[in-house]
Amino acid sequence: MHASVFHRCTPKLAAAKRTIVGRRWMSVRPMMLDGGANPTLPPRKKVTIQHLYQMRRAGTPITMLTAYDFPTARALDTHGVDMALVGDSLAQVCLGLPSTTHLTLDDMLHHTRAVARGATHPFLVADMPFGSYHASPEDAVRSAVRMVQEGHVEAVKLEGGPEIATTVQRITQIGVPVMGHVGLMPQRHAALSGYRVQGRDAAGAREVLDSARALQDAGAFAIVLEAIPHRLAEYITAHLSIPTIGIGAGPGTSGQVLVWDDVMTRWHGKKAKFVRRFADVGHEEGRGVQTYIDAVRSGSFPCSKIEGYEMGSGEWERFLGEVGDKGWRGTADEVQQREENAHANADGASAPRLAQAM
């Protein structure tokens, strides 16, 4: 690296960032869990099923977003989201798998643990992966117990209708809350001939309604309604006694859920009609990566005065003496010498002017 790059670390820039480098922060230090909270707001209360029912009765829309890792979970927790869903959509948006059916229970447990550490106030739900609850109710109970004990979730979500009612009942009987999921069921996308809107004719609408009622009767505490006509979703919501969470189901449900990466424009696959992008994080990420590359290649990052560390007074000279290389001079030494010479020349030029003034 040429010595000239060090001139980009100007005293003005160093002064502007002095407050940032006042402490010797390191990237591996644990973050303060309350660091992002707004101190002017009262502390959040833990969201429970009872709170969700109260919100439904009061007509307060319930907010739900997916989270797959600790930082995203912290964002949901800090900014007041009511429910966090570790959705099996992590198969595509996080793991690069072709569909949710490729996700394993162990994959899910790894991510739920991370989210549970960050989302301490939202009610935490996770999808039971494809194959983890289909073989038998007993197999489903074992999987649900692992989700709670190892994954630290508060509830599990299952896709299906009357055919899984017995499974839902068995899981709820052991004390694990179950959220149902009807309408478009991504785990069955092959059987449904793709990701298609459900309930568009009278027979299909009746099937979705019957499925929702069967899950409620089996003990589900809430139901996700995905990709169904908005009138049907409102009708189902009005005829159930439990909250409904819509995704592509219109505004007439008890609440809404979206995938984090869709909301933040970080997923560049096919955009579903029901997705609204609320921030362009993907663009900012791209800009940040490119700016980083440019800074490294231009030599403006890192700057020894701002992002660097120094040795104690005299320790560098002592080190060079111990290794027998006292004459070694690095780029920083050359820059420092030039700066000292420049200051000396400036002081020398100002002396005659000062004498004339006197």
Side-chain angles (χ1 to χ4, degrees):
M1 184 180 294
H2 296 292
S4 61
V5 301
F6 283 83
H7 286 297
R8 299 186 180 93
C9 302
T10 63
K12 183 178 180 180
L13 180 60
K17 295 190 175 181
R18 190 167 291 122
T19 56
I20 299 176
V21 297
R23 297 183 64 179
R24 296 183 179 180
W25 293 111
M26 298 185 70
S27 60
V28 294
R29 293 195 179 201
M31 68 178 289
M32 296 176 63
L33 293 183
D34 61 348
N38 187 338
T40 64
L41 298 177
R44 284 196 69 185
K45 292 183 178 179
K46 170 64 184 164
V47 178
T48 64
I49 292 177
Q50 182 181 11
H51 288 129
L52 299 175
Y53 276 67
Q54 290 172 347
M55 293 177 72
R56 177 187 180 276
R57 287 194 294 270
T60 303
I62 299 167
T63 58
M64 187 178 192
L65 281 171
T66 64
Y68 313 112
D69 54 31
F70 177 80
T72 307
R74 287 299 307 148
L76 269 57
D77 192 281
T78 299
H79 299 294
V81 174
D82 301 310
M83 303 179 72
L85 171 65
V86 187
D88 55 8
S89 50
L90 76 87
Q92 295 109 313
V93 299
C94 288
L95 303 182
L97 298 172
S99 78
T100 61
T101 57
H102 291 231
L103 190 73
T104 68
L105 182 57
D106 287 334
D107 291 334
M108 178 60 76
L109 292 172
H110 173 79
H111 287 268
T112 57
R113 283 192 291 268
V115 173
R117 288 189 285 268
T120 57
H121 294 92
F123 190 75
L124 179 56
V125 185
D127 278 324
M128 293 188 69
F130 177 78
S132 66
Y133 60 97
H134 299 89
S136 68
E138 290 72 25
D139 189 55
V141 167
R142 283 189 290 268
S143 297
V145 169
R146 289 194 65 192
M147 295 279 282
V148 173
Q149 286 187 331
E150 300 176 38
H152 308 156
V153 304
E154 296 174 287
V156 296
K157 182 165 77 65
L158 282 66
E159 297 180 8
E163 74 283 359
I164 66 165
T166 300
T167 298
V168 172
Q169 188 175 36
R170 290 291 300 276
I171 294 175
T172 57
Q173 283 174 345
I174 66 166
V176 178
V178 173
M179 170 177 273
H181 185 137
V182 300
L184 171 59
M185 293 175 281
Q187 292 180 0
R188 305 185 188 189
H189 70 278
L192 297 173
S193 298
Y195 300 92
R196 299 175 178 273
V197 177
Q198 302 296 303
R200 276 189 151 166
D201 57 27
R206 181 59 185 267
E207 183 177 349
V208 176
L209 172 63
D210 290 345
S211 294
R213 282 174 167 166
L215 294 179
Q216 175 180 264
D217 294 343
F221 76 91
I223 295 178
V224 169
L225 306 177
E226 180 169 0
I228 64 174
H230 63 91
R231 288 188 177 89
L232 174 60
E234 185 176 5
Y235 182 88
I236 292 174
T237 300
H239 287 77
L240 295 182
S241 59
I242 60 177
T244 59
I245 307 296
I247 176 167
T253 54
S254 308
Q256 300 292 328
V257 61
L258 282 175
V259 171
W260 174 267
D261 295 77
D262 286 334
V263 169
M264 300 298 169
T265 320
R266 298 184 72 244
W267 171 248
H268 298 289
K270 183 177 180 180
K271 177 182 174 293
K273 180 182 180 181
F274 57 75
V275 168
R276 182 185 298 182
R277 291 170 172 165
F278 291 86
D280 196 353
V281 175
H283 174 77
E284 284 300 301
E285 284 181 335
R287 187 186 65 83
V289 170
Q290 190 58 58
T291 303
Y292 165 75
I293 292 172
D294 294 342
V296 170
R297 290 180 176 165
S298 69
S300 63
F301 176 84
C303 173
S304 59
K305 291 183 178 179
I306 299 174
E307 292 100 4
Y309 299 97
E310 298 292 347
M311 297 177 71
S313 177
E315 291 300 319
W316 178 244
E317 291 75 13
R318 186 174 294 111
F319 165 76
L320 291 178
E322 290 182 2
V323 298
D325 204 1
K326 286 187 175 182
W328 189 90
R329 291 178 63 79
T331 308
D333 299 304
E334 296 174 5
V335 171
Q336 181 179 356
Q337 186 62 55
R338 277 200 298 272
E339 290 177 348
E340 290 175 355
N341 293 340
H343 286 305
N345 292 335
D347 291 341
S350 64
R353 291 195 298 269
L354 179 61
Q356 292 174 3
M358 296 176 63

